[in-house]
Amino acid sequence: MPTRSSLWQVDPMRMRKVKWAVEYLPQSKVLVADPAENKGKWKELLQTDTLHVELGCGKGKYSLDMAVMNEQDGFVAVEKNESAAGIAARKMDEDGRDKKLRLIMGDADRIGEWFAPGEVDIIHLNFSDPWPKKRYAKRRLSAPSFLEQYKTVLSSQGKIIMKTDNAPLFEFSVPQFLSHGFSLEEMSVDFRREEHPEDAITEYEEKFIEQGKPIYRAVFEKEKA
């Protein structure tokens, strides 16, 4: 078993199978084995009035930190890579701070199976895979098939907060949101030029900040029907 100091040095987008992480998942306290069973019941489960969902949580730092910073809010982190999910699960389980946090291992395209219409208040898209080739554009988490599901599960004043270092993905995503039932509330092409203590920094973001790369961020609000 690796030491605590070396646990989180794996890139979930490029990682090979991490045996200990995969083996840890079944014993995790934070992992929800059958998330569909909680559909419509997440706020009751987490005892919260505000529900956040992070799609593609990687090793879990963002949702963990945000759940600690916003102790009255509930957070559900979603990660499809089994090894990354195992790393996130152990990190979340071993953190001794109070938090309302759960983890789902699965693909974001199943979000409509896990959450009831209007159940989610905020969706976080942090440094999602850009799928740069055009033939894979439908796999981007800002593609129309995903946006339609987001609209369904989001509450009447629900929001999507997106952060990325990838300019082409950002340029693709903004018009997608605006043409599929969302309005633009905030936008920055260099979000970290100022301090934002209210927003946790992801593992990827730490690397990009160190490299001096700009962070693109936008907040989209669901338009009223």
Side-chain angles (χ1 to χ4, degrees):
M1 182 73 69
T3 63
R4 180 185 294 270
S5 62
S6 65
L7 282 178
W8 326 124
Q9 304 304 314
V10 185
D11 184 336
M13 283 188 183
R14 300 173 179 84
M15 68 194 308
R16 295 181 179 179
K17 183 175 181 179
V18 180
K19 184 178 179 181
W20 72 261
V22 174
E23 292 176 347
Y24 180 80
L25 274 172
Q27 60 186 292
S28 172
K29 297 178 181 178
V30 75
L31 180 71
V32 179
D34 188 357
E37 288 187 349
N38 293 325
K39 187 173 184 176
K41 305 174 185 176
W42 288 99
K43 290 185 178 180
E44 179 182 356
L45 173 69
L46 296 172
Q47 298 183 332
T48 185
D49 294 324
T50 304
L51 182 63
H52 300 246
V53 175
E54 182 187 7
L55 298 177
C57 73
K59 293 167 282 183
K61 180 180 183 298
Y62 184 82
S63 281
L64 174 58
D65 289 347
M66 289 293 285
V68 173
M69 290 165 54
N70 303 274
E71 59 183 17
Q72 298 304 315
D73 293 0
F75 284 79
V76 179
V78 178
E79 175 54 50
K80 69 177 181 179
N81 182 286
E82 193 175 25
S83 295
I87 293 172
R90 183 174 170 189
K91 182 188 296 186
M92 293 171 179
D93 283 339
E94 292 186 345
D95 185 89
R97 298 170 293 179
D98 292 336
K99 52 193 175 294
K100 300 177 179 181
L101 175 63
R102 294 292 187 275
L103 174 69
I104 294 173
M105 193 194 78
D107 199 299
D109 65 4
R110 299 181 62 192
I111 188 171
E113 299 177 25
W114 303 327
F115 300 95
E119 187 172 20
V120 179
D121 297 292
I122 301 174
I123 293 175
H124 299 269
L125 303 178
N126 290 316
F127 303 93
S128 307
D129 191 331
W131 293 103
K133 294 183 179 180
K134 288 185 177 180
R135 67 177 180 270
Y136 295 134
K138 65 181 180 181
R139 299 184 185 181
R140 298 168 188 164
L141 293 187
S142 50
S145 61
F146 288 99
L147 298 184
E148 292 304 316
Q149 290 200 68
Y150 302 159
K151 282 195 299 182
T152 297
V153 302
L154 280 170
S155 61
S156 59
Q157 295 182 325
K159 297 181 181 181
I160 296 178
I161 303 176
M162 177 185 182
K163 288 193 295 184
T164 182
D165 67 303
N166 190 288
L169 176 62
F170 195 69
E171 292 169 357
F172 167 86
S173 300
V174 172
Q176 291 295 320
F177 280 106
L178 297 181
S179 61
H180 287 86
F182 292 89
S183 59
L184 182 62
E185 184 177 291
E186 299 177 24
M187 186 172 73
S188 174
V189 295
D190 193 1
F191 182 62
R192 293 297 179 184
R193 66 186 163 202
E194 299 176 355
E195 292 187 5
H196 289 278
E198 78 286 355
D199 184 65
I201 298 175
T202 76
E203 294 96 335
Y204 278 121
E205 203 167 3
E206 287 179 341
K207 297 177 183 179
F208 299 140
I209 291 172
E210 290 175 0
Q211 296 169 7
K213 293 184 177 180
I215 304 300
Y216 303 90
R217 181 180 183 270
V219 179
F220 303 93
E221 186 172 4
K222 178 180 174 180
E223 292 181 342
K224 296 178 176 58

